[in-house]
């Protein structure tokens, strides 16, 4: 029903924003990923998902259409509600979730607070075909990319870098250069860490 909102940013928190659209203030739940992309300007456009329940209407906002698509895909999985989907998008970037699902990476999905082994497996089972089709990822490239990133990450951890920080840097590098070799990822990461 409400696909996006444009307006003036009135209030900004890690979990929600208040957006003034021509005198009407909208309370919009956001992920940490979206929070990290919010600028300091007042003008803001968010792509939204409206969840209607018997006792509430809840708006979720995203800076990117792709993040909203991943959110909606996650909602389609049995046992995953809006708050769990938002937690997933707060813990991992949309591309990390996409890659993890495409390459059967149960450990990455399970690393999210509140996601157990069974739920992680269900997410992959339910969404893998959709993710591969929608984002046109070949299974080989997903696995190859993931293997290179994981090897580079392991090497950086051995060198004493914190996993979370190294993971962010490795993800940024593989996003820029999807076909990067393990050596390239490590060299680039060392420059940025």
């Amino acid at each position: 029903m409400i696909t996006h909102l444009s307006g003036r940013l009135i209030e900004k928190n890690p979990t929600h924003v208040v957006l003034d659209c021509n005198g009407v203030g909208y309370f919009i739940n956001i992920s940490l990923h979206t929070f990290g992309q919010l600028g300091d300007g007042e003008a803001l456009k968010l792509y939204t998902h409206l969840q209607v329940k018997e006792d509430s209407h809840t708006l979720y906002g995203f800076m990117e259409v792709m993040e909203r698509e991943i959110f909606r895909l996650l909602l389609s999985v049995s046992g995953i509600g809006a708050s769990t989907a938002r937690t997933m998008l707060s813990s991992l970037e949309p591309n990390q979730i996409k890659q993890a699902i495409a390459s059967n990476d149960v450990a990455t999905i399970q690393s999210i607070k509140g996601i157990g082994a069974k739920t992680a497996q269900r997410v992959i089972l339910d969404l893998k075909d959709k993710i591969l089709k929608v984002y046109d990822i070949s299974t080989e490239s997903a696995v190859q990319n993931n293997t290179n990133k994981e090897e580079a990450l392991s090497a950086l951890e051995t060198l004493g870098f914190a996993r979370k920080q190294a993971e962010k840097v490795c993800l940024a590098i593989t996003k820029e250069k999807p076909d990067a070799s393990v050596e390239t990822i490590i060299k680039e990461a060392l420059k940025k860490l």
Side-chain angles (χ1 to χ4, degrees):
M1 186 175 134
I2 300 173
T3 192
H4 76 267
L5 290 170
S6 294
R8 219 162 42 91
L9 185 62
I10 302 295
E11 191 181 320
K12 175 173 136 179
N13 292 294
T15 56
H16 71 273
V17 293
V18 174
L19 201 59
D20 180 330
C21 302
N22 296 323
V24 179
Y26 290 92
F27 183 96
I28 306 167
N29 293 285
I30 59 170
S31 68
L32 282 175
H33 178 71
T34 291
F35 179 74
Q37 294 181 313
L38 293 175
D40 292 328
E42 281 192 357
L44 179 65
K45 177 180 180 177
L46 288 176
Y47 298 96
T48 58
H49 173 81
L50 176 65
Q51 185 177 52
V52 179
K53 289 184 175 177
E54 281 180 26
D55 58 346
S56 69
H57 289 185
T58 311
L59 268 175
Y60 293 89
F62 311 94
M63 287 295 283
E64 306 159 336
V65 173
M66 187 191 69
E67 186 181 8
R68 180 178 66 182
E69 287 172 5
I70 300 284
F71 179 81
R72 287 177 171 168
L73 283 173
L74 290 170
L75 288 181
S76 72
V77 176
S78 170
I80 295 208
S83 63
T84 305
R86 182 170 70 158
T87 300
M88 291 176 80
L89 287 164
S90 292
S91 304
L92 299 171
E93 291 187 10
N95 273 330
Q96 286 175 302
I97 292 174
K98 209 167 61 175
Q99 281 300 132
I101 292 169
S103 58
N104 287 330
D105 188 353
V106 177
T108 298
I109 306 262
Q110 203 177 329
S111 71
I112 300 164
K113 186 180 186 287
I115 302 287
K118 281 187 178 174
T119 306
Q121 288 165 345
R122 191 178 316 119
V123 166
I124 290 170
L125 188 69
D126 288 5
L127 300 182
K128 185 173 182 181
D129 291 341
K130 290 177 188 171
I131 293 273
L132 292 173
K133 197 184 296 174
V134 171
Y135 295 103
D136 197 27
I137 303 170
S138 73
T139 344
E140 293 80 35
S141 78
V143 171
Q144 175 65 37
N145 185 338
N146 196 46
T147 306
N148 286 353
K149 190 183 89 185
E150 286 305 315
E151 281 182 39
L153 196 55
S154 174
L156 290 167
E157 273 187 294
T158 306
L159 292 171
F161 291 100
R163 182 173 176 90
K164 270 212 183 242
Q165 190 181 9
E167 200 164 12
K168 270 188 180 174
V169 172
C170 286
L171 183 76
I173 294 164
T174 52
K175 205 186 287 183
E176 266 178 43
K177 303 174 185 173
D179 301 327
S181 68
V182 177
E183 294 80 20
T184 308
I185 297 170
I186 294 170
K187 283 177 188 171
E188 291 288 318
L190 288 172
K191 290 177 192 171
K192 296 177 181 179
L193 286 168

